[in-house]
Amino acid sequence: MSAAPRVDAVVVGAGFAGMRSIVELRRLGLSMRVFEAGSEVGGTWYWNRYPGARTDTESWGYCFFFDKELGLEWDWPERFPSQPDVQKYMVHVADRFDMRKEITFNARVDGAFFDEATNLWTVRTDTGEEVTCRWLITGLGWLGVAYKPNLAGLDSFAGEWYQTSLWPKEEVNLEGKRVAVIGTGATGIQVIQTIAPVVEHLTVFQRTPNFVMPGRNHALSDHQRAELKRDYDLITEQTFNHVFAFPMDPANQLGSEVSDDADLIRIFEKGWEDGGFRYIFTTVDDMLVDQRVNDIAAEFVRNKIRAIVKDPVTAELLCPKTHPIGGKRPPLGNFYFETFNRSNVTLVDVRPDPVAEITPTGLRLTSGAEYEADVIIFATGFDAMTGPLAKMNVHGVGDRTLEAEWVEGPNLHLGISQAGFPNLFAILGPQGPFASHPPVIEKQVEFIGKVLDKALADGAERVESTPEAGAAWTAMCDMILHMTLVPKGLDDRPWFLGANVPGKKQTTLAYLGGMAGYCAELDKERDGGFPGYAMRKAPVPA
Ligand code: NA7
């Protein structure tokens, strides 16, 4: 038995998930410690402070939903909030609900060990602290572990280099510099369009072009903000019923039923003008499942790129042709393609000619071509979904680590609970719904609260999902994935299938059944008395 001080629950992380957990644990009357590696709340939004960082979900759906008053009193300045605005909001929530008293900042959890004799977790931090708890709740987010290709020669680089998700707090002056950006995912796109007007020259190293849709971000007027408050209940309902938890109604029409291609193109034009993910979700309801519809939508985007980008060779390089829309996570841009009309921006296609090494003065490609740079920015993504928890050094039953357990892929019941790791609940674990995160977090935390309600009422000390429930959930995630066109993008390395990190097992890391479908699964589990969990009172005999 550990001599470490005891609390009922430890929460790891003080982003949306950790902060929402504090509210739920207070409701349950449980004592808690919350450990956060950063020096402030915010989680993903604390770390991802690179130039141009912005949400791709409309602000009125990218927020907490547990307190209507909070929603009514907060004013978002823009349609898609910037990183500083999300951070400001989260600081406000932490202050308003007096959350800091529960949070220990600058403390990264670097180990968690389950004791089968007591059914307690011992949680260790990099500051040397140890705490024991009955319930361990992780709110690590999907994107907590950055991925950077291991390119030879980086140590020899005479300039500065940065990784977007670990961007320094101090201002980085890029003015008058020759900057190289590697990566054109959602992050790279935001950086590229933001820094191009500032730098002397920008060289973009692109391996796979993406279907970048125009965000059409804008400031919100007082009138618009008043309307959003008036419609608060409607927006909440829309969000939790929308397939990707966006605050919008579905299209209520199928592209497959529109037989004339020209009619379909007219529908897509409207979605393109509306901006953001409305191009995918308010035009037709089958873009991600119907090949013909997806093909027409994809060609529509390519034609937009060809119309915007003046140099036809560059335009063609920017046109995605090797995956369907949705085969990789489509980014939102704000004048992204227009950036390539600037005389100080060069696009380099590294698909046929990969980056081979970093030199003291820049980058060298496999062909030997060299590009000089004063600054290199890696926008190369994350070891997403499994990475954060697997890297936390979690030891479950029989001292087995989650990292070892997941070598062949995770099996998390409802995307929350892994068999062999009792009393551990992962908010935004792998195999959770692929949807806007704050609403998903809201529902997952509510669900975990219900599991704990039952455990506490029954006096259960050990709550563990069954291997059968985990396997069934994985099978369901697989089945749904293969009902969509998404697997057709696998060769282009989508991170949500584990395909972007060399050596990582490619598995179905997300539930694609939609937010409402996911909520129905959570309700079914709760109403059925939690059949996917074994709840035991006494410690398991040795
Ligand atoms: P992504 O979407 O994984 O993008 C990473 C980018 O980095 C992508 O364009 C990769 O090309 C590129 N990359 C990675 N390694 C290399 C090498 N070795 N050479 C050239 N290019 C490389 O990460 P993001 O951070 O942009 O976005 C992740 C999520 O964060 C996003 O979807 C939102 O949900 C928020 P590739 O496509 O693999 O050819």
Side-chain angles (χ1 to χ4, degrees), residues 143 149 182-187 207-208 328-329 379-382 493 495:
L143 305 173
I182 306 178
T184 53
T187 299
R207 189 164 66 184
T208 309
K328 280 172 87 72
R329 196 290 215 170
T380 43
F382 301 88
R493 296 174 282 266
W495 54 263

Side-chain angles (χ1 to χ4, degrees), residues 217-292:
N217 185 39
H218 57 78
L220 292 172
S221 66
D222 288 345
H223 176 70
Q224 284 167 323
R225 278 195 283 263
E227 278 187 330
L228 290 170
K229 288 180 187 185
R230 183 198 65 200
D231 295 342
Y232 182 89
D233 292 335
L234 174 70
I235 288 168
T236 305
E237 200 186 311
Q238 280 178 325
T239 302
F240 287 100
N241 284 306
H242 187 268
V243 61
F244 273 62
F246 292 140
M248 55 184 80
D249 286 327
N252 290 321
Q253 65 181 341
L254 295 176
S256 53
E257 290 175 357
V258 180
S259 56
D260 187 338
D261 291 2
D263 287 338
L264 209 42
I265 287 166
R266 268 191 288 279
I267 292 168
F268 291 149
E269 191 70 56
K270 165 87 170 68
W272 186 262
E273 286 309 312
D274 287 345
F277 282 105
R278 286 166 195 265
Y279 179 68
I280 297 182
F281 295 112
T282 63
T283 50
V284 293
D285 291 324
D286 53 355
M287 194 188 286
L288 304 183
V289 294
D290 187 284
Q291 189 68 60
R292 170 185 157 262

Side-chain angles (χ1 to χ4, degrees), residues 43 64-65 110-111 135 204 222 298 323 332 341 390 418 459 464 470 510:
F64 291 102
F65 288 89
D110 64 4
W135 316 112
V204 175
D222 288 345
H323 62 268
L332 296 194
N341 290 332
Q418 173 72 51
E464 184 176 4

Side-chain angles (χ1 to χ4, degrees), residues 14-16 36-56 62 81-88 90 108 139-147 162-170 172 185-191 194 329 377-384 388 428 437 495:
F16 270 100
E36 165 55 52
S39 62
E40 184 47 283
V41 297
T44 300
W45 294 101
Y46 169 90
W47 297 103
N48 283 265
R49 56 182 78 227
Y50 58 83
R54 190 177 286 286
T55 66
D56 285 347
Y62 203 84
S82 65
Q83 179 271 338
D85 284 332
V86 179
Q87 183 65 23
K88 213 192 278 174
M90 298 189 78
R108 182 181 292 278
L140 302 176
W142 275 2
L143 305 173
V145 176
Y147 164 70
Y162 300 96
Q163 199 161 357
T164 46
S165 49
L166 300 169
W167 199 263
K169 276 186 189 167
E170 305 71 43
V172 175
T187 299
I189 271 141
Q190 293 183 334
V191 172
T194 305
R329 196 290 215 170
I377 297 176
F378 291 90
T380 43
F382 301 88
D383 177 0
L428 290 188
H437 283 174
W495 54 263

Side-chain angles (χ1 to χ4, degrees), residues 14-15 28 122 192 215 218 283 325 332 359 361 364 377 388 490:
L28 288 156
T122 298
I192 290 162
H218 57 78
T283 50
I325 292 183
L332 296 194
T359 68
T361 55
R364 184 180 294 129
I377 297 176
L490 193 58

Side-chain angles (χ1 to χ4, degrees), residues 96-372:
R96 188 186 190 283
F97 294 94
D98 197 13
M99 291 176 173
R100 284 170 209 286
K101 63 176 188 262
E102 268 113 1
I103 307 171
T104 304
F105 292 103
N106 302 305
R108 182 181 292 278
V109 171
D110 64 4
F113 308 86
F114 186 69
D115 179 352
E116 287 183 76
T118 58
N119 289 322
L120 295 173
W121 285 94
T122 298
V123 178
R124 197 182 67 196
T125 72
D126 63 358
T127 55
E129 199 173 351
E130 279 196 359
V131 178
T132 59
C133 60
R134 174 79 63 214
W135 316 112
L136 175 57
I137 299 177
T138 61
L140 302 176
W142 275 2
L143 305 173
V145 176
Y147 164 70
K148 180 165 69 58
N150 197 10
L151 293 170
L154 188 56
D155 287 348
S156 73
F157 182 55
E160 302 157 42
W161 65 268
Y162 300 96
Q163 199 161 357
T164 46
S165 49
L166 300 169
W167 199 263
K169 276 186 189 167
E170 305 71 43
E171 204 192 330
V172 175
N173 184 8
L174 299 175
E175 221 175 294
K177 305 247 173 78
R178 295 166 304 167
V179 179
V181 173
I182 306 178
T184 53
T187 299
I189 271 141
Q190 293 183 334
V191 172
I192 290 162
Q193 67 197 10
T194 305
I195 66 172
V198 175
V199 301
E200 182 190 308
H201 195 87
L202 175 62
T203 311
V204 175
F205 294 85
Q206 171 190 273
R207 189 164 66 184
T208 309
N210 273 306
F211 290 99
V212 185
M213 302 172 299
R216 306 205 189 283
N217 185 39
H218 57 78
L220 292 172
S221 66
D222 288 345
H223 176 70
Q224 284 167 323
R225 278 195 283 263
E227 278 187 330
L228 290 170
K229 288 180 187 185
R230 183 198 65 200
D231 295 342
Y232 182 89
D233 292 335
L234 174 70
I235 288 168
T236 305
E237 200 186 311
Q238 280 178 325
T239 302
F240 287 100
N241 284 306
H242 187 268
V243 61
F244 273 62
F246 292 140
M248 55 184 80
D249 286 327
N252 290 321
Q253 65 181 341
L254 295 176
S256 53
E257 290 175 357
V258 180
S259 56
D260 187 338
D261 291 2
D263 287 338
L264 209 42
I265 287 166
R266 268 191 288 279
I267 292 168
F268 291 149
E269 191 70 56
K270 165 87 170 68
W272 186 262
E273 286 309 312
D274 287 345
F277 282 105
R278 286 166 195 265
Y279 179 68
I280 297 182
F281 295 112
T282 63
T283 50
V284 293
D285 291 324
D286 53 355
M287 194 188 286
L288 304 183
V289 294
D290 187 284
Q291 189 68 60
R292 170 185 157 262
V293 174
N294 197 292
D295 286 346
I296 295 171
E299 187 60 11
F300 178 96
V301 178
R302 286 191 286 267
N303 284 333
K304 288 289 182 193
I305 298 170
R306 290 171 184 132
I308 295 168
V309 180
K310 293 191 179 122
D311 172 42
V313 177
T314 305
E316 235 26 64
L317 286 179
L318 288 165
C319 285
K321 293 174 185 158
T322 49
H323 62 268
I325 292 183
K328 280 172 87 72
R329 196 290 215 170
L332 296 194
N334 282 291
F335 303 103
Y336 173 68
F337 292 119
E338 287 82 348
T339 302
F340 293 90
N341 290 332
R342 298 180 63 90
S343 59
N344 70 332
V345 177
T346 309
L347 179 68
V348 178
D349 179 15
V350 294
R351 199 175 178 95
D353 188 9
V355 181
E357 60 177 331
I358 308 295
T359 68
T361 55
L363 292 86
R364 184 180 294 129
L365 307 190
T366 308
S367 64
E370 291 205 35
Y371 294 86
E372 294 202 338

